[in-house]
């Protein structure tokens, strides 16, 4: 199997370059990650992240033949050769296929990815109806691999200002949660031309998500939620949490 892999060691290289490899996969190498790890046995200078090998941790996200994905759930069979492997685009490269995700997680943390509810804790769990629970489907499954934000042109150009599809999907996840009391503050936090509205609905994010999620639809629903709260777009009124705004208004 032929591979062309982006290499970059900041201690010796002035810029990334492509290195060609040829390796014979073993019969048990069904997934691309199996082949890359075999390659790493032959050249242990090759650097990448990986952990669970089950498409759950998201750490082996990379650009595979021009499209972001997880190496561990990408089948070797049918891959066009040479298989071109690059680090996630738009993120600073630390080394070879490893990128710096500091800004990605800064944007994620900026949407307060936790339940806000000042009520006294119940004896057991905070109950939801089946319909309320169902409204979280399609958002809580995100593994924060970064494939979507890294394939989003709006995020490339404004990574410091635009939250990006991954963070916005999580914003939506808490906006929709019937147990959360901070809907208004969450919407307020996304006001302005950049944090939410920089999305141009190009849909790259939904194209590449390895979990089949659709951040672009979540972004659209947040916009609609803003319209519902204020009755008009772009001029969100400020309401303190608990001011009587119906969460599902
Ligand atoms: S939405 Fe999908 S692509 Fe984006 S971070 Fe979550 S799992 Fe990864
Ligand atoms: S739909 Fe929005 S968030 Fe998704 S890739 Fe396009 S611009 Fe980025």
């Amino acid at each position: 199997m032929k591979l062309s892999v982006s290499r970059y060691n900041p201690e010796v290289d002035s810029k990334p370059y492509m290195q060609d490899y040829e390796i014979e996969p073993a019969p048990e190498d069904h997934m691309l990650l199996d082949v890359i790890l075999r390659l790493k046995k032959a050249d242990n200078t090759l650097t990448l992240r990986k952990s669970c090998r089950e498409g759950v941790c998201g750490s082996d996200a990379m650009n595979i033949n021009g499209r972001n994905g997880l190496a561990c759930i990408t089948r070797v069979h049918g891959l066009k050769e040479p298989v071109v492997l690059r680090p996630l685009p738009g993120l600073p490269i630390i080394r070879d296929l490893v990128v710096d995700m500091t800004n990605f997680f800064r944007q994620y943390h900026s949407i307060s990815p936790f339940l806000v509810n000042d009520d006294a804790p119940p004896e057991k769990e905070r109950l939801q109806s089946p319909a309320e629970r169902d409204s979280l489907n399609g958002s809580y499954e995100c593994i924060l691999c970064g494939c979507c934000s890294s394939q989003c042109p709006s995020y490339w150009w404004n990574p410091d200002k635009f939250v990006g599809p991954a963070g916005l999907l999580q914003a939506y996840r808490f906006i929709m949660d019937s147990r959360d009391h901070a809907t208004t503050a969450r919407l307020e936090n996304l006001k302005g031309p950049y944090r939410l509205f920089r999305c141009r609905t190009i849909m790259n994010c939904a194209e590449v998500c390895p979990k089949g999620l659709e951040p672009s639809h979540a972004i659209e629903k947040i916009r609609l939620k803003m319209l519902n709260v204020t009755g008009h777009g772009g001029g969100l009124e400020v309401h303190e949490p608990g001011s009587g705004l119906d969460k599902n208004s």
Side-chain angles (χ1 to χ4, degrees), residues 151-154 162 165 198-205 216 219:
Q151 200 94 65
C152 169
S154 294
F162 176 48
R198 202 64 192 173
C199 167
R200 296 296 190 236
T201 326
I202 306 160
M203 308 287 281
N204 282 8
C205 50
S216 50
I219 291 168

Side-chain angles (χ1 to χ4, degrees), residues 5-246:
V5 184
S6 177
R7 304 297 311 269
Y8 175 62
N9 176 352
E11 290 174 10
V12 292
D13 301 321
S14 58
K15 58 180 183 180
Y17 64 96
M18 300 305 289
Q19 183 167 354
D20 294 336
Y21 294 95
E22 190 150 1
I23 187 159
E24 190 61 39
E28 64 271 24
D29 292 346
H30 298 297
M31 298 300 175
L32 178 60
L33 183 62
D34 300 326
V35 175
I36 299 174
L37 293 180
R38 193 165 297 284
L39 190 60
K40 188 168 168 59
K41 278 186 190 156
D43 176 359
N44 67 7
T45 66
L46 181 61
T47 306
L48 71 148
R49 287 194 183 107
K50 56 98 186 157
S51 183
C52 75
R53 302 178 70 165
E54 300 285 345
V56 174
C57 73
S59 59
D60 66 346
M62 60 184 73
N63 189 272
I64 305 161
N65 283 347
R67 180 190 167 102
N68 290 351
L70 302 181
C72 62
I73 57 171
T74 299
R75 293 196 173 277
V76 172
H77 182 72
L79 271 181
K80 183 172 167 282
E81 294 185 37
V83 182
V84 179
L85 302 179
R86 298 179 193 273
L88 289 179
L91 305 181
I93 304 171
I94 294 175
R95 182 167 170 155
D96 294 344
L97 300 173
V98 175
V99 290
D100 183 349
M101 298 189 73
T102 304
N103 188 67
F104 173 83
F105 282 108
R106 188 181 67 77
Q107 290 291 11
Y108 168 64
H109 289 295
S110 79
I111 61 92
S112 302
F114 45 80
L115 200 70
V116 176
N117 185 327
D118 293 335
D119 291 350
E123 241 174 68
K124 287 188 181 172
E125 66 267 52
R126 295 182 197 274
L127 294 176
Q128 288 187 298
S129 70
E132 287 169 342
R133 167 61 189 79
D134 284 351
S135 72
L136 305 182
N137 290 346
S139 57
Y140 77 88
E141 302 95 329
C142 173
I143 57 172
L144 294 173
C145 64
C147 284
C148 56
S149 293
S150 155
Q151 200 94 65
C152 169
S154 294
Y155 185 75
W156 294 341
W157 308 136
N158 294 284
D160 52 335
K161 298 188 195 129
F162 176 48
V163 173
L168 290 170
L169 181 65
Q170 291 314 298
Y172 174 74
R173 179 246 173 277
F174 287 99
I175 286 168
M176 290 309 294
D177 196 316
S178 60
R179 301 161 298 182
D180 190 90
H181 288 176
T183 302
T184 309
R186 291 184 188 281
L187 293 175
E188 179 75 12
N189 179 35
L190 297 176
K191 255 181 36 174
Y194 283 99
R195 283 183 56 73
L196 170 74
F197 285 93
R198 202 64 192 173
C199 167
R200 296 296 190 236
T201 326
I202 306 160
M203 308 287 281
N204 282 8
C205 50
E207 277 287 311
V208 299
C209 176
K211 306 303 280 188
L213 308 179
E214 300 190 65
S216 50
H217 287 180
I219 291 168
E220 200 51 39
K221 285 180 183 168
I222 298 174
R223 287 172 171 168
L224 288 173
K225 190 87 177 164
M226 281 186 173
L227 286 169
N228 286 343
V229 169
T230 62
H232 55 84
L236 190 70
E237 294 166 17
V238 180
H239 298 275
E240 292 307 316
S243 65
L245 262 183
D246 181 358

